[in-house]
Amino acid sequence: MRMKSGMEQAVCTLILLARLPERATLKAVAISERLEVSPSYLKKLMRMLVQAGLVDSIPGTKGGFSLAKKPEDVTLYDIFLAVEGRGGMYRDRGVFTSVFACEDQRSTTCVLGHVMQRAEKAWVEVLEQETLASLLQQIRKTYSPERLAEMDAWLTSQLREEVNE
Amino acid sequence: MRMKSGMEQAVCTLILLARLPERATLKAVAISERLEVSPSYLKKLMRMLVQAGLVDSIPGTKGGFSLAKKPEDVTLYDIFLAVEGRGGMYRDRGVFTSVFACEDQRSTTCVLGHVMQRAEKAWVEVLEQETLASLLQQIRKTYSPERLAEMDAWLTSQLREEVNE
DNA sequence: GCTGGCCTACTCGGATACTTTCTGTCCGAGTACTGACGG
DNA sequence: CCGTCAGTACTCGGACAGAAAGTATCCGAGTAGGCCAGC
């Protein structure tokens, strides 16, 4: 039961996108270089984030990715769902009920499954309290401002300008 | 991020062992038949439970497995650790810190990892509150007594008698 | 007839394949810029 | 000289392999009981 490594990459990516100026986009290759991860796998992750509605994608030469929502509206659990997919971590195989429940109670909620759901709910609630905005605030408090400034500088150097109309 | 199917099997097995009379053992094949799961894989699980100190094993012809602790002293988290192994579900790859932290702060606790640890702690606490004893009590309340009686009857028919001295 | 040793049958324990999921890679669809051509 | 159109270069999108973990299986180590021979 190990979380995908893609989760960390997705969070980092979304934080980068959150620091992006309005109407600007960032291309996948730039992100993968900054994160020092496989470009192909990150593109796959980006596709998941797009399908989940967390980021917008613009195809074409001047294309790229941008955050689809406001940073305070994107929770860690949203990212988790996008990366890991729906369907909780514990999936009932029916062994418990087939052993301990009678035939007519087989469809009843499994006692063990109920506990697992409670545990997962507690876990989810923590992740739902954390948003991209709160993470950014923690980063500001924890790490040095120089690093953030350097990151913003890199962003402006890498971003695609807004589409002139 | 899916929990192993072995978790459900292990819990069922331990509950069966908890209903076992004192100094009696149950052999792996009997359990696998009752649970309708692969005998080989269940034996592997039993080995894990033995190594974790949750069950005692007696080799030999009259051998089998028995609960090593009192049912109220075995939590769901103990079982989880035995089956899934130590090392939390989120493992830091260092991407986050390498992106957002300076060189001298790389060893600092990762902000994202900290949130994940909090979430996992909340999850663990729920699992630690549940023991084999409490699960048995819930089973008694939820499912029909006939089924429990039938289970005990099956247990007595399958158990190995205590070692005569 | 009794006791000791050996042999067999049965159990757990660990090493060995197969399947699914996760990770990483490649090629195709679509768009904006560039340049040339025609009016 | 200006507008239009085709070509090209670059992006995201989805289909395709390799690696790792989970699942299932088989064979070996060890023990208890039964059988036989010897005393």
Side-chain angles (χ1 to χ4, degrees):
Chain A
M1 187 175 176
R2 208 179 77 256
M3 197 179 295
K4 288 188 194 176
S5 67
M7 183 66 187
E8 189 176 1
Q9 301 180 23
V11 172
C12 293
T13 299
L14 288 172
I15 291 179
L16 285 178
L17 292 183
R19 292 291 286 185
L20 218 54
E22 193 71 19
R23 293 187 60 85
T25 65
L26 202 59
K27 61 182 184 180
V29 172
I31 301 172
S32 70
E33 285 174 355
R34 182 73 181 179
L35 266 59
E36 298 176 19
V37 297
S38 155
S40 312
Y41 185 48
L42 190 123
K43 283 168 107 175
K44 190 171 204 169
L45 280 174
M46 297 311 295
R47 185 176 152 275
M48 292 179 184
L49 297 178
V50 169
Q51 287 186 343
L54 297 184
V55 304
D56 289 328
S57 70
I58 298 178
T61 306
K62 288 271 184 181
F65 296 95
S66 63
L67 208 59
K69 303 181 178 181
K70 285 179 287 186
E72 56 265 30
D73 291 336
V74 179
T75 71
L76 263 186
Y77 186 56
D78 294 329
I79 306 174
F80 175 81
L81 284 181
V83 173
E84 298 279 345
R86 276 177 162 63
M89 46 185 90
Y90 175 77
R91 252 177 297 254
D92 215 307
R93 301 295 199 292
V95 175
F96 194 92
T97 49
S98 79
V99 172
F100 299 113
C102 284
E103 285 291 323
D104 56 343
Q105 291 183 312
R106 266 178 44 193
S107 58
T108 313
T109 306
C110 173
V111 167
L112 178 59
H114 184 64
V115 175
M116 291 298 185
Q117 281 177 15
R118 275 187 17 232
E120 187 161 344
K121 190 184 171 195
W123 185 78
V124 166
E125 278 173 356
V126 174
L127 261 56
E128 278 180 333
Q129 286 172 0
E130 213 71 37
T131 67
L132 287 181
S134 69
L135 276 177
L136 266 169
Q137 193 171 349
Q138 288 183 53
I139 289 175
R140 269 191 287 269
K141 281 195 298 184
T142 307
Y143 303 129
S144 73
E146 288 83 7
R147 183 72 175 184
L148 271 174
E150 190 270 334
M151 189 182 88
D152 286 341
W154 176 84
L155 275 175
T156 51
S157 76
Q158 289 290 332
L159 60 77
R160 318 271 101 176
E161 305 292 335
E162 71 178 63
V163 182
N164 301 320
E165 301 174 9
Chain B
M1 186 174 174
R2 208 179 77 257
M3 198 179 295
K4 288 188 192 175
S5 66
M7 183 65 186
E8 190 176 0
Q9 301 181 22
V11 172
C12 292
T13 299
L14 289 172
I15 291 179
L16 285 178
L17 292 182
R19 293 291 288 185
L20 218 55
E22 193 70 18
R23 293 188 61 85
T25 65
L26 202 59
K27 62 182 183 179
V29 172
I31 301 172
S32 70
E33 286 174 354
R34 183 72 180 181
L35 268 58
E36 297 175 19
V37 297
S38 155
S40 312
Y41 185 48
L42 190 122
K43 283 168 107 176
K44 191 173 200 166
L45 280 175
M46 297 312 294
R47 187 175 150 275
M48 291 179 184
L49 297 178
V50 169
Q51 288 187 342
L54 297 183
V55 305
D56 289 329
S57 70
I58 298 179
T61 307
K62 289 271 182 180
F65 297 94
S66 63
L67 208 61
K69 303 180 178 181
K70 284 180 287 186
E72 56 266 29
D73 291 336
V74 179
T75 70
L76 264 186
Y77 185 56
D78 293 329
I79 306 174
F80 175 81
L81 283 182
V83 173
E84 299 280 346
R86 275 175 163 66
M89 47 184 92
Y90 175 77
R91 250 175 300 249
D92 215 308
R93 302 292 199 291
V95 176
F96 194 93
T97 48
S98 79
V99 173
F100 299 113
C102 285
E103 286 291 323
D104 56 343
Q105 290 183 313
R106 265 179 45 192
S107 59
T108 313
T109 306
C110 172
V111 167
L112 178 59
H114 185 63
V115 175
M116 291 298 184
Q117 280 177 15
R118 272 185 23 230
E120 186 161 343
K121 190 184 171 195
W123 185 79
V124 166
E125 278 172 357
V126 174
L127 261 55
E128 277 180 334
Q129 286 171 1
E130 213 71 37
T131 66
L132 287 181
S134 68
L135 277 177
L136 267 169
Q137 194 172 348
Q138 288 183 54
I139 289 175
R140 269 192 287 269
K141 281 195 296 185
T142 308
Y143 304 129
S144 73
E146 289 84 5
R147 183 71 176 184
L148 269 174
E150 190 271 334
M151 189 183 89
D152 286 343
W154 176 84
L155 275 175
T156 51
S157 76
Q158 290 290 333
L159 60 77
R160 317 270 100 174
E161 306 290 339
E162 71 177 64
V163 181
N164 301 320
E165 300 176 8

